[in-house]
């Protein structure tokens, strides 16, 4: 196992990451519980795989991860809505 894949996020890393995520989440939601949930889901996805920070630029990793989570959430809402209409 390489050193970069075994590194964990420090508390300082986590604070910086949450701040960055909050700014990026404003692209999808200006405020409110949807924005907070998007930040939390993205934070947990990225914190679970810190090696991503050594594979590509942080901004790119954040943008790609958050967009995927946002799209997954939209797809889930559409499925839920269509089930309720039937």
């Amino acid at each position: 196992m390489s050193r970069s894949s075994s590194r964990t996020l420090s508390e300082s890393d986590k604070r910086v990451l949450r701040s960055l995520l909050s700014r990026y989440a404003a692209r999808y939601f200006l405020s409110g519980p949807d924005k907070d949930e998007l930040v939390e889901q993205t934070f947990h996805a990225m914190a679970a795989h810190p090696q991503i920070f050594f594979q590509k630029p942080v901004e790119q990793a954040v943008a790609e991860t958050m967009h995927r989570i946002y799209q997954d959430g939209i797809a889930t809402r559409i499925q839920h809505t269509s089930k309720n209409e039937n």
Side-chain angles (χ1 to χ4, degrees):
M1 179 180 280
S2 71
R3 286 179 60 197
S4 64
S5 65
S6 64
R7 182 173 181 239
T8 59
L9 295 175
S10 70
E11 289 305 311
S12 177
D13 292 337
K14 290 177 184 179
R15 281 192 302 277
V16 170
L17 178 57
R18 282 186 190 278
S19 175
L20 181 62
L21 292 174
S22 184
R23 289 194 309 268
Y24 274 65
R27 175 181 180 194
Y28 303 99
F29 305 103
L30 291 178
S31 63
D34 289 331
K35 179 182 176 186
D36 296 341
E37 183 64 23
L38 181 59
V39 167
E40 286 304 306
Q41 288 180 5
T42 306
F43 177 82
H44 289 292
M46 297 191 80
H49 303 287
Q51 68 276 10
I52 196 168
F53 298 111
F54 303 98
Q55 297 169 349
K56 55 180 73 177
V58 172
E59 293 84 0
Q60 180 182 358
V62 167
E64 290 174 357
T65 302
M66 184 172 284
H67 189 69
R68 180 181 46 79
I69 289 170
Y70 174 78
Q71 285 184 319
D72 291 349
I74 294 298
T76 300
R77 286 180 182 168
I78 290 170
Q79 288 174 349
H80 180 71
T81 301
S82 65
K83 285 180 183 178
N84 286 340
E85 291 176 352
N86 291 331

